[in-house]
Amino acid sequence: MKILLDTHIFLWFITNNKRLSGKYYDAISNRDNEIYLSVVSVWETTIKYQLGKLPLPESPEIYLPKQRERHLISSLSIDETTITQLAKLPPLHNDPFDRLLLCQSLEHDLIIITEDKAIISYPMANIF
């Protein structure tokens, strides 16, 4: 499976948060799966950190890549073809981070692990 982690799922995984279900943990830990963290999530996390809404043990430019690499999670960039996927999305949700994650999942044929009801509400979303 090719899996894209929503921001909160990545944060729960790297901090062993009890809110992360066992099935998600197993899927992320399974080395047969390709696991991705979007630069969109890094962007979102950095903004929340700067606003004082998300404490981290180190600054995000150090902590996030270190954790991603430690857990063998690949980085997923944004490109023009990903952005053009926005035109295919119905106006169900206004969060630009969530919409870009959804676009990346569509463009790269990735399954999203999320508990975000807004993302789940998109009929074309491929949710784990």
Side-chain angles (χ1 to χ4, degrees):
M1 261 190 303
K2 292 171 45 178
I3 298 171
L4 177 61
L5 304 180
D6 195 353
T7 306
H8 66 280
I9 298 295
F10 172 71
L11 293 171
W12 291 353
F13 181 76
I14 65 173
T15 61
N16 293 312
N17 190 302
K18 301 236 184 274
R19 291 182 283 183
L20 184 69
S21 77
K23 72 176 185 174
Y24 292 163
Y25 181 86
D26 291 345
I28 297 166
S29 300
N30 184 338
R31 293 297 158 224
D32 291 332
N33 294 331
E34 296 176 36
I35 310 299
Y36 295 91
L37 179 70
S38 172
V39 296
V40 171
S41 293
V42 175
W43 178 22
E44 178 181 22
T45 303
T46 301
I47 289 172
K48 288 182 179 181
Y49 174 83
Q50 289 176 326
L51 293 173
K53 294 181 177 183
L54 179 64
L56 296 173
E58 297 176 277
S59 62
E61 73 272 12
I62 296 169
Y63 183 68
L64 298 175
K66 183 191 308 183
Q67 291 299 315
R68 186 183 54 69
E69 291 168 8
R70 176 178 174 225
H71 294 286
L72 304 175
I73 298 170
S74 299
S75 179
L76 184 62
S77 299
I78 303 170
D79 56 26
E80 184 177 355
T81 56
T82 299
I83 300 300
T84 60
Q85 294 289 330
L86 283 169
K88 298 178 182 177
L89 299 183
L92 301 177
H93 186 43
N94 292 326
D95 184 313
F97 300 114
D98 290 347
R99 290 175 60 83
L100 282 171
L101 289 175
L102 186 54
C103 287
Q104 286 182 302
S105 74
L106 294 171
E107 177 65 26
H108 300 285
D109 195 27
L110 302 171
I111 298 168
I112 300 177
I113 294 183
T114 187
E115 291 195 355
D116 187 322
K117 291 181 184 4
I119 293 176
I120 294 168
S121 71
Y122 281 90
M124 73 283 289
N126 191 2
I127 306 298
F128 184 84

